[in-house]
Amino acid sequence: MEFDTFMQSRILTGLTLGFHIIFATIGVGVPVMIMIAEWMGIRKNDPHYRLLARRWARGFTVTVAVGVVTGTAIGMQLSLLWPSFMQLAGQVIALPLFMETFAFFFEAIFLGIYLYTWDRFKKPIYHCLLVIPVVIGSSASAFFITTVNAFMNTPQGFKLENGVITGIEPLKAMFNPATPTKVAHVLSSAYLTSAFVLAAITAWFILRGSRSDYYQKALRLTMTWSLVFAIATAVIGDLSGKFLAEYQPEKLAAAEWHFETEKQADLILGGVLDKETLEVKGELRIPMALSILAGSHPDTEVTGLNEFPRDLWPPLYVHYLFDLMVGIGMYLAAVAGLFVLVRIWKKKHEWNPWLLRLIVLGGPLSMLAIELGWIFTEVGRQPWILRGFMRTDEGVTTSANVGQMLVLFSGLYAVLGIVCTVVLIRMFRKNPPEKEMGKRGIEGGGQHVV
Amino acid sequence: MSYELIGITVLWLFLYGYVIVASIDFGAGFFSYYGKVTGKGEVINQVINRYLSPVWEVTNVFLIFFLVGIVGFFPDTAYYFGTALLVPGSIALILLAIRGSFYAFHHYGSKPNTFYEFLYGTTGLLIPASLATILTISEGGFIEKKGNEVVLLMDTLLKSPYSWSVVLLALVSVLFISASFLTYYAHKAEDYEAERVLHKWALGWSLPTIFASFLVFVAMSDHNMQHFTSMLDNSWMFVVSMGFFTLAVYLLMVRKYYGWMFLSVLLQFGFAFFGYGKSHLPYILYPYITVQGSVNNPVMAQALIWAFIGGLSLLVPSLLLLMKLFLFDAKYVKGR
């Protein structure tokens, strides 16, 4: 592979997005958890939940800042690195891009209000209501931006004749075939990841010896919702498989190393591919499962990669990403399910250290799954930037300085990543919940008051 | 009004909004750091933080809005500016990223950190300079089209008196707008000690601002005659701008009606900004992109305008609520 402007632009875009989605995922999911905690606090009249919301919100602010600046970066980099693509696609996807900024604007305004009005209203419900526009804004911006990505996978709503775009239908472009499954999957997986990350942090503290009511409530809340979101994500993941089989069969075939078109196709787990002979070794085959994934019936015909010219094949390593993503999804669902079952039937084992360790592990794994799933969906669409219309190398900039910019931005993300982590850890270590509970006169506090 | 005219007007309005809120923000960050280092302005920090904390995130959105909007309404700009601005655009982005995130690290971290504040205060002065460069480039003469390639003539840009006069104007305007707003805010907070410091700064930066504006005028006549003539045709707007400037300085001097004083500053920049923008038309990038030649398909332009109306009907009440809670709430402003 040549390390030319094209490659550098791909790496820089991938780097920016890869860094941004960590914070974007938190940005979409955590407000939902804050809203749930606020609502529980009011419904049960329990200050623990309100403190939970408050502490989550405080950490959230720091991640939002990084999310905003990296989001600005990717927004501008689209035009800086892929000017020809934006010139063409900008004519069709301007509407969702524009609406995304409105949603973001809305969220930014209400987040500011929410964070600075904690004790300002006499009735706590007013403050609780303020988090709703934050949730709407963050999920809506995820919705709009995902429709843009969906459009790049299944472009429609325009005609392209000799490089000139006509017959634009903005809504048809926005609500393309990939939109429903993509949006649903992005939202549910962001909620799942955020809930699991919060659960993992809580489990970590419980493992270290903090056993007060506050932590127990936090873990029960986050694990229960993790299970809900995990089930939703699995169902939507199945629908996404069916979508791929119909609209982007080459992506599904590459993910499954499925070369011959056939019925009763096997699902391949793991394995190693010989790039020359295209033979798979050491895999685990589940008979007919791919046909079932693609069309709910063993007799569904699944299109194989051989139907496509070789130069339009996506890279075949996406199989590993796909397997890992699905594997982690299963793991998260299993751990959350286990926790809920143990809680119902064997209450005394609820704080079993091994169970807690599994939960802690699920935090970083869930974020890893977000990255893997996203790389799978982006790389799986190569060589297209606009599937069927524009190849990625036709959209790239002609500017010669991408290499230097790649170095600059790598440095920036390294600094932001490290400082953000340090700030977050310090913030919570210096001000543990016990101290805050003591200060606010909430039951369970005072043990560590300095 | 045609689609392209509505589009560019709306975008220009948002850019104006960004110039104002960002100036307040950038200047405040710088003053806050300056006050800390010299010890002279320690008193102003409380006022600054009370204003900035709930609104810093909103500032950034104005810019994103403009960037997304201009590519949406005029997709050709993505091609020309995108290709030419890779380096200056990336540098502006990195500065914005450092500033935005270190603001949060400084304010929400476990304890305030002087190094974080240094980064966030100084980048606040570099960003206006780097963003102003983009306006400079739109005047033409700094971009060359060679076949399929669009090249930014960095050398010409760095040697151009016009480009430096715009940078200078951006810098001093930021400090003037910020100081005059904070004077007004400190007065409302009844923080008279802070008001005294800020008032001095506002007056101090007023003369350099008007001086730099003239400099830009003169340099413009040298750089782009077509635009300069067009500016003369709209000279009444610049005269009105000058009038509001005089009024603002007068009110500052007599230390009265700070609300009206800041409004005059807003109008001063408003008239100058729209006078500049109006005379820039029909070019977005002289001489390659005009508003008529690059406007998006009418169907999309119409959809964007509808989205815009819908979005505004959501935004305006929210912005008003934000201002009511943090800008015009006497109890909050006074820190109670």
Side-chain angles (χ1 to χ4, degrees), chain A residues 266-322:
Chain A
D266 299 347
L267 189 78
I268 294 177
L269 288 181
V272 184
L273 184 77
D274 185 324
K275 272 190 186 158
E276 299 301 316
T277 59
L278 298 181
E279 268 170 40
V280 188
K281 277 182 204 139
E283 82 281 19
L284 184 72
R285 278 179 185 270
I286 306 178
M288 297 187 271
L290 185 58
S291 285
I292 295 174
L293 177 72
S296 304
H297 196 278
D299 284 335
T300 309
E301 192 173 74
V302 186
T303 313
L305 264 184
N306 289 341
E307 308 287 323
F308 300 90
R310 190 94 191 228
D311 64 327
L312 291 183
W313 284 18
L316 293 172
Y317 68 81
V318 294
H319 171 72
Y320 303 112
L321 308 176
F322 183 72

Side-chain angles (χ1 to χ4, degrees), chain A residues 64-65 68-69 72-73 76 79-80 83 87 90-92 94 102 105 111 113 116 120 168 398 405 409 416 419 427, chain B residues 53 57-58 60-61 64-65 67 72 75-76 82-83 90 93 101 104-105 108 116 296-297 300 311 315 322 325-326 329:
Chain A
V64 164
V68 169
V69 297
T72 312
M76 249 170 105
S79 297
L80 294 176
Q87 190 184 22
Q91 302 179 50
V92 198
F102 268 120
F105 220 139
L111 185 64
I113 298 179
Y116 285 89
R120 223 162 128 180
I168 294 178
T398 47
M405 298 305 116
F409 276 100
L416 287 187
V419 179
M427 198 166 144
Chain B
S53 302
E57 227 199 322
V58 177
N60 221 13
V61 193
I64 300 176
F65 202 101
L67 293 174
D76 283 354
T83 311
S90 296
L93 270 179
S101 42
F105 297 158
Y108 300 99
Y116 294 174
N296 205 332
N297 183 291
M300 184 50 92
L315 269 193
L322 186 75
L325 285 171
F326 299 108
D329 186 284

